[in-house]
């Protein structure tokens, strides 16, 4: 987990407020200070770079087991660097998360996002990657910004779909 490059990426994502960036980094700090804990798992994608240039961080995903559930996971954070948007980075990150969940017996994934246009295509991304719109709470984030709750079921590895 490369905290400096994660902080750099978060600062580039316009839709994240400074408070949201701080919370995203808190999860990274929790992970770094509790290496044995599975609460917040991170998957990072680095882009190719000609050496000796450092590989830029193209995107990252943070998810974890939802407490008090048998096999539900929360997708807490997902972001692609503005330089790599629409090149399949987030799709590959979600697929990597799903492989991990499948490998640990499968389960439900829950993700919440806002309906406001500024949410950077998140709603269209989840619609396009097999998530179901499970619930909507009008005016949740702001009078014109609803909460949309998406879910996706991930089968156990080797299970029939
Ligand atoms: C949402 C986000 C993670 C998508 O990342 P991405 O790497 O660009 O997504 P992908 O390239 O994997 O897109 C997969 C598919 O999702 C859909 N999609 C993604 N972004 C879209 C957009 N802005 N508009 C319409 N459809 C979109 C498309 O169907 C796309 O497939 P295609 O490019 O072949 O048409 C990115 O826009 C982002 O970081 N936004 C800001 C942060 C955010 O809102 N995060 C999610 C909530 S925590």
């Amino acid at each position: 987990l490369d905290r400096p490059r994660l902080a750099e990426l978060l600062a580039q994502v316009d839709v994240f407020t400074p408070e949201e960036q701080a919370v995203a980094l808190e999860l990274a700090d929790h992970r770094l200070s509790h290496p044995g804990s599975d609460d917040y798992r991170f998957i990072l994608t680095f882009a190719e770079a000609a050496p000796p240039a450092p590989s830029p961080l193209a995107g990252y995903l943070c998810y974890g087991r939802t407490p008090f559930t048998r096999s539900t996971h929360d997708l807490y954070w997902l972001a692609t660097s503005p330089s790599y948007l629409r090149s399949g980075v987030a799709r590959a990150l979600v697929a990597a998360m799903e492989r991990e969940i499948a490998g640990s017996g499968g389960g439900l994934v829950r993700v919440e996002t806002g309906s406001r246009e500024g949410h950077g295509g998140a709603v269209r991304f989840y619609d396009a990657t097999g998530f179901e719109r499970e619930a909507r709470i009008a005016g949740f984030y702001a009078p014109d910004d609803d909460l949309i709750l998406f879910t996706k079921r991930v089968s156990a590895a080797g299970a029939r779909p």
Side-chain angles (χ1 to χ4, degrees):
L1 178 51
D2 187 328
R3 191 189 192 279
R5 273 194 271 179
L6 186 57
E8 220 175 281
L9 186 155
L10 288 164
Q12 290 169 9
V13 178
D14 290 347
V15 289
F16 292 154
T17 63
E19 284 154 297
E20 287 171 328
Q21 291 174 30
V23 172
L25 283 175
E26 270 172 30
L27 302 193
D29 289 335
H30 182 281
R31 175 76 203 188
L32 290 166
S33 57
H34 302 79
S37 155
D38 261 352
D39 293 347
Y40 304 110
R41 299 186 192 190
F42 284 77
I43 306 175
L44 277 65
T45 299
F46 291 92
E48 305 254 327
S55 327
L57 183 58
Y60 93 104
L61 179 155
C62 170
Y63 80 103
R65 291 291 307 269
T66 310
F68 313 121
T69 65
R70 190 171 293 179
S71 57
T72 297
H73 299 73
D74 272 297
L75 198 180
Y76 293 113
W77 234 263
L78 172 64
T80 296
S81 153
S83 320
Y84 297 95
L85 287 172
R86 299 302 289 273
S87 57
V89 169
R91 191 191 285 278
L93 284 165
V94 167
M97 173 192 73
E98 288 174 11
R99 278 195 300 277
E100 289 186 4
I101 294 172
S104 61
L108 189 69
V109 180
R110 169 177 75 166
V111 57
E112 296 174 352
T113 193
S115 63
R116 194 163 36 90
E117 206 34 50
H119 282 274
V123 172
R124 277 159 291 165
F125 172 78
Y126 294 119
D127 279 339
T129 51
F131 285 80
E132 300 288 333
R133 293 192 190 204
E134 189 92 41
R136 183 174 191 120
I137 304 177
F140 183 87
Y141 294 106
D144 61 345
D145 194 7
D146 304 347
L147 179 150
I148 304 175
L149 192 154
F150 288 89
T151 59
K152 188 171 187 177
R153 278 174 205 283
V154 178
S155 304
R160 278 190 229 150

